Amino acid sequence: MSRTKLILQMDFTTTENQRLIAQTVGKFAETHIRPEFMDWDERQFFPVELFRKMGELGLMGILVPEKYEGAGLGYFEYVTAIVEISRVCGSIGLSMAAHNSLCSGHILQFGNEEQKQKYMPKLATGKWIGAWGLTEANTGSDSLRMRCVAKKDGDHWVINGSKNWITHGISGDVAVVLARTGEALDSRGISSFIVERGTPGFKAGKKENKLGMRASETSEMVFEDCRIHKSQMLGNEGEGFIQAMKVLDGGRISIAALALGIARGAYDAALKYSKERQQFGKPISEFQAIAFKLANMATKIEASELLILQAADLKNRGQKCTKESAFAKYYASEVSVQVSTDAVQVFGGYGYTKDFPVEKFYRDSKLCTIGEGTSEIQKLVISREILK
Ligand SMILES: Cc1cc2nc3c(=O)[nH]c(=O)nc-3n(C[C@H](O)[C@H](O)[C@H](O)COP(=O)(O)OP(=O)(O)OC[C@H]3O[C@@H](n4cnc5c(N)ncnc54)[C@H](O)[C@@H]3O)c2cc1C
């Protein structure tokens, strides 16, 4: 299908379902997240109970079919929900995205029926929190050099090594873990496994003390002779890396949505403040420097949304979206940093304090250009696709 035809076929009309989701999730975020988020941020507190409530609302299994107790919705609805949560608090949006797209997304896409029956209902209802471990201390962007290994021993695999920067590495009830089962640098030398918390030899390591996204737990996961039954492997031996890349195609749409939510939150706050704050006898929105800044912010936000919808549309149709999800992730995350930086500027000195939300958007936004592939890696993905 040519690009022109694809764009002509896209329908950006907000459905009744999306409107309802935006309304319900927005209200949930105002009631259950806004009053607490600064306290969670200060204490780096990961509010597990909030995720149970989000599970009751269907937010922990938006893309999961109803037969596994999920909401059975598509990517437009998923993006809408992440945006509504993230415009209030990026940390909660990040944890929601990691749970849904990475852990649940991996099991849903590559698990067998038995694995899906066992894990999806618990994950989709938020009774269990999911983690996903690809990154290691020495291998982030360069994940083919991972050192965490899984060796076969009869009907079991024995995992040794560690994973770093893992969202829900401590509180996750179950993790999808990528480990080397073949040669380093061989894309067929990595396999994926489901490992439950409490499995002997699997423990959480150091919790990271972060600039932003402080209410989203990030920690190390350590494996020391961790024996798991072969039935815990996802797909076949050697398929893990290829699976992970496909999971990230979807995951990047969710990080783009997270970035969009943060940008919207920062922009809304700046727009409102600009009409209230008076200097030189008039609202600062009447200075062209401020009005043009707001115009730039609004334009970039709209463009981010269009790129996200394009990727979401392809994903809904079951089509390859590697390039489009990288477009969306790269652009929306850079815009999120630019918009939240501008929002702090609109607030002046007040923007630099914790009395207003823009300093938090500013801190949280930066993660979007790093997690699930840095902006540089998105450019690598995009350039590989366009230079084919
Ligand atoms: C809050 C948070 C949550 C996270 N959650 C998870 C999670 O749940 N699961 C998980 O597996 N990981 C997670 N990560 C890890 C994240 O995906 C990695 O941090 C990210 O992929 C970058 O890897 P790195 O930090 O090792 O940076 P590096 O790969 O060391 O990169 C350092 C710098 O070099 C650049 N660079 C590297 N290679 C190239 C290249 N070939 N060309 C150009 N530039 C390059 C990068 O863009 C970056 O600017 C999380 C990270 C954070 C901060």
Side-chain angles (χ1 to χ4, degrees):
M1 184 190 297
S2 81
R3 274 191 53 77
T4 324
K5 273 192 194 149
L6 171 71
I7 287 171
L8 287 177
Q9 281 181 18
M10 285 172 71
D11 178 2
F12 296 132
T13 324
T14 310
T15 61
E16 194 45 44
N17 229 355
Q18 280 171 268
R19 240 189 304 275
L20 197 69
I21 286 167
Q23 211 175 46
T24 313
V25 179
K27 196 167 160 214
F28 177 90
E30 290 301 329
T31 312
H32 298 283
I33 302 177
R34 194 174 296 283
E36 310 282 349
F37 75 84
M38 275 316 286
D39 177 53
W40 296 336
D41 182 77
E42 291 283 337
R43 294 193 287 128
Q44 297 210 75
F45 174 73
F46 175 61
V48 177
E49 286 314 310
L50 176 83
F51 290 92
R52 313 261 187 252
K53 282 192 199 128
M54 286 167 67
E56 286 164 19
L57 210 59
L59 299 178
M60 301 302 271
I62 299 184
L63 300 166
V64 177
E66 287 172 67
K67 72 170 178 164
Y68 303 121
E69 298 184 38
L73 297 168
Y75 265 79
F76 288 140
E77 291 82 4
Y78 181 40
V79 162
T80 305
I82 293 183
V83 168
E84 287 305 317
I85 294 287
S86 311
R87 70 196 297 174
V88 175
C89 179
S91 293
I92 307 304
L94 172 62
S95 277
M96 181 184 160
H99 172 97
N100 277 282
S101 280
L102 300 182
C103 182
S104 301
H106 200 137
I107 298 174
L108 192 62
Q109 229 177 318
F110 298 104
N112 58 34
E113 194 50 39
E114 201 182 319
Q115 290 165 336
K116 288 191 228 182
Q117 293 281 359
K118 185 171 176 190
Y119 293 106
M120 291 322 302
K122 288 182 185 128
L123 288 164
T125 51
K127 290 187 180 105
W128 277 24
I129 303 291
W132 189 79
L134 174 69
T135 309
E136 297 178 7
N138 295 310
T139 57
S141 308
D142 190 12
S143 50
L144 276 179
R145 278 178 216 266
M146 70 172 61
R147 290 184 190 164
C148 184
V149 291
K151 290 230 161 76
K152 205 161 189 181
D153 182 18
D155 280 348
H156 290 78
W157 286 90
V158 181
I159 308 180
N160 275 292
S162 58
K163 294 283 162 186
N164 291 66
W165 304 100
I166 308 307
T167 304
H168 316 144
I170 299 168
S171 303
D173 298 279
V174 63
V176 171
V177 179
L178 281 298
R180 193 153 60 75
T181 49
E183 293 303 310
L185 294 177
D186 179 3
S187 62
R188 293 256 161 212
I190 291 172
S191 304
S192 59
F193 303 90
I194 307 174
V195 187
E196 290 182 27
R197 186 159 55 148
T199 306
F202 171 33
K203 62 176 188 202
K206 179 186 163 230
K207 179 174 171 173
E208 302 298 340
N209 180 3
K210 307 195 298 293
L211 166 75
M213 301 293 194
R214 288 164 62 82
S216 176
E217 177 188 278
T218 315
S219 82
E220 189 185 15
M221 295 194 305
V222 181
F223 301 90
E224 287 165 351
D225 289 331
C226 175
R227 283 174 75 80
I228 52 164
H229 193 260
K230 63 180 183 186
S231 60
Q232 296 299 91
M233 180 181 270
L234 283 157
N236 298 310
E237 184 179 342
E239 291 177 355
F241 185 76
I242 293 120
Q243 292 173 1
M245 293 305 111
K246 289 187 179 156
V247 168
L248 286 172
D249 280 350
R252 283 167 183 161
I253 301 175
S254 71
I255 300 298
L258 164 67
L260 175 62
I262 292 172
R264 284 246 182 92
Y267 167 76
D268 289 346
L271 186 71
K272 182 168 179 281
Y273 185 80
S274 74
K275 294 182 200 161
E276 293 164 359
R277 175 70 171 171
Q278 301 256 341
Q279 288 293 282
F280 297 93
K282 54 184 176 185
I284 59 169
S285 60
E286 290 182 22
F287 300 122
Q288 197 180 55
I290 298 292
F292 278 17
K293 206 181 280 300
L294 291 165
N296 276 338
M297 292 157 86
T299 309
K300 289 176 187 171
I301 287 172
E302 289 289 311
S304 294
E305 183 167 5
L306 290 175
L307 284 177
I308 293 169
L309 290 176
Q310 170 176 253
D313 182 56
L314 286 173
K315 197 80 182 134
N316 276 343
R317 292 165 194 251
Q319 291 181 18
K320 186 168 181 275
C321 64
T322 307
K323 182 178 65 184
E324 290 76 8
S325 66
F327 278 156
K329 203 268 181 187
Y330 167 47
Y331 187 77
S333 60
E334 292 292 335
V335 160
S336 191
V337 173
Q338 291 160 15
V339 167
S340 54
T341 306
D342 281 347
V344 172
Q345 196 66 20
V346 169
F347 271 77
Y350 290 102
Y352 206 62
T353 70
K354 290 184 185 284
D355 296 336
F356 291 91
V358 287
E359 66 82 33
K360 182 170 178 297
F361 288 126
Y362 177 72
R363 287 186 287 112
D364 289 348
S365 65
K366 193 59 198 156
L367 177 274
C368 303
T369 70
I370 298 170
E372 296 198 29
T374 62
S375 287
E376 289 77 12
I377 294 304
Q378 301 313 310
K379 283 190 262 189
L380 208 72
V381 172
I382 295 164
S383 57
R384 273 187 196 141
E385 291 287 322
I386 59 180
L387 290 168
K388 262 180 187 167

